[in-house]
Amino acid sequence: MRTTAIPAQPGSAQHRPDSFDVERVRRDFPILQRTINGKPLVYLDNAATGQKPQAVIDTISRYYAAENANIHRGVHRLSVDATAAYEGARAKVQRFMGAARPEEIIFVRSATEAINLVAQAYARPTLKPGDEVLISTMEHHSNIVPWQIVCEQTGSVLRVVPINDAGEYMFEEYEQLLSSRTRLVAVTHVSNALGTINPVRRIIEVAHQRDIPVLVDGAQAAPHLAIDVKELDCDFYAISGHKMFGPSGIGALYGKYELLDDMPPYQGGGEMILSVSFEGTVYNHVPHKFEAGTPNIAGAIGLGATVDYLQQIGLDNIATYEHELLVYATEALSAVPDVRLIGTARAKAAVLSFLVGDIHPHDVGTILDLEGIAVRTGHHCAQPVMQRFGITATARASLALYNTTAEIDALVAGVGKVRKVFG
Amino acid sequence: MSALTDLYQQLILDHNKSPRNRRKLEPADGRAEGYNPLCGDRVTVYLSLDGDIVRDIAFEGSGCAISTAAASMMTQRLKGKSVSEAKSLFEKFRRLLTDEHGVGDGGPELGKLEAFGGVRRFPARVKCATLVWHTLNAALENREDIVSTE
Ligand SMILES: Cc1ncc(COP(=O)(O)O)c(C=O)c1O
């Protein structure tokens, strides 16, 4: 199997400048030079967080070294420039997500905060006792608990779409669970624990036939797939900067303008107001209404550099390359005796959750770590998924654009070592 | 010894493979549940006491090799020992896993439990070894709440 490049377009030269070259990509990520326990780092924990390209690191340090100022509140040059850079980053994220207008992008701390914002500022004022919010079994805890909280607050009911043995969203059950009381559907685009890519377009279409808005948790989609919120027609879409090779502490919520405009603020403070007096306070317009206080300016600007980087490589190139890696890794891991893959959806991102016989995933993770291989072990903040499969934990290798087939070979050899220790 | 064989010593692998005293004990004078939210592992410790003496002790639950072996070897070590001995063994065991300055003198010897010394090099795994001991503490007090490592 090819390890270095995506097939060139028919009729084009073999090494077009825009073709995917994993070795070149790897040079963009300084941390990949590190060794762990004397072995080259094999970083396969990308679903937890992505590594950072030099361009993003440079953008952040340049901002702090030469451009730092508060935004939206100074007439001086630095503040004007910082404001332009911050709003420029919003426009970059808008284009990255395919949103119609920049005001539809709200900077938040993370996907978690984006979902909580929707739960508290959209769902809470809307939900009545007996209303329903519909999620799925494969959600990350951050797309479960905010809904449990708002259901508790409003007397609404949380309903859950089941998944099948392959870890796929059960669409017919979904359609049956939609009721006259359903007020919101929330679903993950890509499952962090299983890798499943959900048919979010169809999910949204069916919900919209009943005028039910849909929130898509895109934390695991943004680093791997092209996102187009207009094409999906989703009502809300949440992403996290750190998962997509950007800084931590920054994320974005996309929301349709009319919905955001109607929603009350999430938090109060500076920036989110037009005028304050004790007789009454006038809230600022969208998106500033939802960005109370001094935001993570460096983070937002760093996120702008991140989406520039991803778009320069091309999300479609990334998706094609990662799919090759997934096919290679699935075959290689399945060939190891006693390895059982959890999550075998037909549409899948490059996530391999697995068990090795009855060896506990923590032991697998520790032995792999001694080989310099970073995988996640545990429930992956998706305990209902574990319960669905009757297990408590898995080991998970989650791949990204800079991983190689050689690294997958190292993983397979590491798993062999695990089996030997526990043989 | 490599870090690998230091951690997964033969004794630990053996207790993981065939854990001793893994069963329910009913009725029990003390019972407590432990939970490690990091990995979702659960353990239940059962105690039957004869005055100050641990007449019988058992555990249920499944976890990683380190936690299973820790539970197995703890129960093996404590049967017939006094409650105060158990408590001072826990203290020594904890120091073995965390204290840079070694385990100190006095009190009962750790004996075979020293096999867990290799865990010290794996800070992410220390709680795997100590969970069952924390749970034992709760069982001695017959506490109802679930003991958590976090
Ligand atoms: C599917 C999914 N949704 C949401 C989140 C939450 O992301 P964050 O912790 O950055 O808010 C994660 C993180 O693991 C995730 O995998």
Side-chain angles (χ1 to χ4, degrees), chain A residues 47 110-112 140 142 188 190 192 217 219-220 240 242-243:
Chain A
S110 58
T112 299
H140 186 276
S142 63
T188 192
V190 173
N192 66 310
D217 171 2
Q220 295 294 342
S240 254
H242 70 98
K243 305 258 187 212

Side-chain angles (χ1 to χ4, degrees), chain A residues 133-400:
Chain A
V133 175
L134 187 53
I135 61 171
S136 88
T137 304
M138 76 173 90
E139 302 310 318
H140 186 276
H141 294 166
S142 63
N143 202 22
I144 300 175
V145 183
W147 307 118
Q148 288 177 324
I149 291 173
V150 77
C151 284
E152 177 87 6
Q153 288 164 335
T154 58
S156 317
V157 184
L158 192 62
R159 298 238 179 265
V160 184
V161 177
I163 58 177
N164 65 19
D165 290 343
E168 291 168 317
Y169 193 86
M170 296 178 77
F171 202 85
E172 277 174 28
E173 282 74 1
Y174 162 60
E175 288 184 295
Q176 281 158 14
L177 278 162
L178 284 171
S179 80
S180 61
R181 301 306 303 265
T182 312
R183 296 287 172 263
L184 187 81
V185 170
V187 63
T188 192
H189 197 162
V190 173
S191 155
N192 66 310
L194 301 165
T196 311
I197 302 175
N198 282 317
V200 283
R201 224 190 132 197
R202 279 170 58 218
I203 292 170
I204 292 162
E205 206 174 290
V206 170
H208 282 181
Q209 283 162 9
R210 296 162 171 263
D211 289 325
I212 303 165
V214 179
L215 173 139
V216 178
D217 171 2
Q220 295 294 342
H224 309 293
L225 311 171
I227 297 167
D228 189 336
V229 293
K230 259 207 316 294
E231 207 241 347
L232 287 177
D233 197 29
C234 57
D235 301 276
F236 299 103
Y237 197 103
I239 62 175
S240 254
H242 70 98
K243 305 258 187 212
M244 47 199 281
F245 321 108
S248 50
I250 190 77
L253 170 68
Y254 159 82
K256 281 186 177 159
Y257 186 84
E258 313 77 64
L259 289 172
L260 293 176
D261 197 38
D262 274 351
M263 285 157 56
Y266 174 50
Q267 294 179 332
E271 202 70 54
M272 52 76 69
I273 44 79
L274 287 178
S275 70
V276 175
S277 75
F278 291 114
E279 284 68 51
T281 288
V282 182
Y283 301 138
N284 204 337
H285 305 295
V286 170
H288 309 293
K289 181 171 70 176
F290 296 106
E291 293 179 0
T294 300
N296 182 354
I297 304 167
I301 294 170
L303 184 59
T306 306
V307 301
D308 278 349
Y309 179 80
L310 287 172
Q311 285 183 318
Q312 187 195 318
I313 295 177
L315 266 301
D316 290 335
N317 289 336
I318 292 170
T320 310
Y321 175 69
E322 289 181 3
H323 185 72
E324 284 183 36
L325 280 183
L326 174 67
V327 170
Y328 183 90
T330 305
E331 223 167 85
L333 264 185
S334 310
V336 181
D338 303 332
V339 166
R340 175 179 160 213
L341 285 172
I342 305 292
T344 49
R346 281 155 293 182
K348 212 182 141 178
V351 172
L352 299 109
S353 250
F354 63 95
L355 298 170
V356 187
D358 57 4
I359 304 168
H360 195 282
H362 269 187
D363 297 313
V364 176
T366 293
I367 295 173
L368 291 177
D369 178 56
L370 289 168
E371 300 295 307
I373 303 167
V375 298
R376 170 93 185 260
T377 59
H379 53 58
H380 318 297
C381 296
Q383 283 182 312
V385 172
M386 300 297 119
Q387 286 151 17
R388 166 64 178 78
F389 287 95
I391 54 185
T392 55
T394 70
R396 179 189 69 188
S398 53
L399 313 178

Side-chain angles (χ1 to χ4, degrees), chain B residues 56-76:
Chain B
D56 201 0
I57 175 168
F59 78 101
E60 278 188 311
S62 65
C64 63
I66 303 302
S67 72
T68 303
S72 173
M73 290 171 70
M74 179 190 85
T75 53
Q76 200 179 40

